[in-house]
């Protein structure tokens, strides 16, 4: 277990334990967060805990060309069921991601400090959001960190207040990222929701090749 100091440095990710935990401590400054993302590391901890830094192996990713769109989702897209915007209301998206109730989860890992840190990344142009609207009401969305020079998008969290809203926004985002030449979308860890959209696990070493 590594304890971070004031130095903006991380240990090699191969030192992470079987759960992907690599280090503890440090802060959520723009410099440290971006250093983490460029090295395949992300913060993930609960309110009241010290900051925990992870680099899991395997890594859940989505290759844009492998995006799976179900028949029911294709119907919603054809009907233009929702309106989708980008970077219109980052604050509301991350606030909703933090507040939404999730099955088998007590509280949220998106602490107040995390919200402030990512809102700052958004102001600096590193973090982006997707908003999904129905009748001018925000019903879904997601946010993450865009490593434009690496053609990699690191997804952080999504929320949905009505059925399929977050999937709809995610599909629209992937389509846009594909047009920009993005090679890979980092989904961090396995979930059935992401797997249903075509994401899969790959070795951490393979994922890190995209960041070199």
């Amino acid at each position: 277990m590594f304890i971070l100091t004031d130095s903006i440095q991380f240990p090699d990710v191969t030192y992470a334990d079987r759960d992907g935990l690599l280090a503890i401590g440090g802060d959520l400054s723009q410099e440290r967060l971006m250093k983490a993302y460029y090295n395949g590391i992300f913060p993930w901890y609960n309110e009241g805990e010290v900051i925990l830094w992870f680099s899991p192996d395997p890594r859940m990713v989505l290759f844009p060309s492998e995006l799976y769109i179900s028949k029911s989702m294709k119907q919603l897209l054809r009907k233009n069921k929702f309106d989708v915007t980008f970077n219109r209301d980052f604050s509301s998206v991350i606030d909703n991601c933090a507040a939404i109730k999730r099955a088998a989860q007590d509280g949220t890992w998106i602490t107040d400090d995390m919200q402030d840190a990512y809102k700052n990344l958004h102001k600096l142009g590193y973090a982006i959001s997707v908003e999904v609207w129905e009748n001018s009401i925000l019903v879904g969305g997601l946010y993450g960190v865009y490593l434009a020079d690496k053609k990699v998008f690191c997804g952080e969290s999504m929320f949905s207040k009505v059925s399929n809203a977050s999937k709809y926004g995610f599909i629209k985002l992937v389509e846009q990222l594909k047009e920009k030449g993005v090679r890979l979308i980092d989904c961090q860890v396995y979930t059935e929701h992401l797997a249903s959209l075509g994401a899969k696990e790959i070795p951490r070493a393979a994922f890190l090749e995209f960041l070199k």
Side-chain angles (χ1 to χ4, degrees), residues 13-29:
V13 297
T14 57
Y15 288 108
D17 67 17
R18 62 186 299 171
D19 295 320
L21 179 59
L22 176 65
I24 66 174
D27 55 34
L28 297 174
S29 65

Side-chain angles (χ1 to χ4, degrees), residues 4 59 70 102 122 125 166 182 186:
L4 301 182
R59 192 81 168 212
S70 66
R102 304 179 194 275
H122 175 66
S166 62
V182 167
D186 174 25

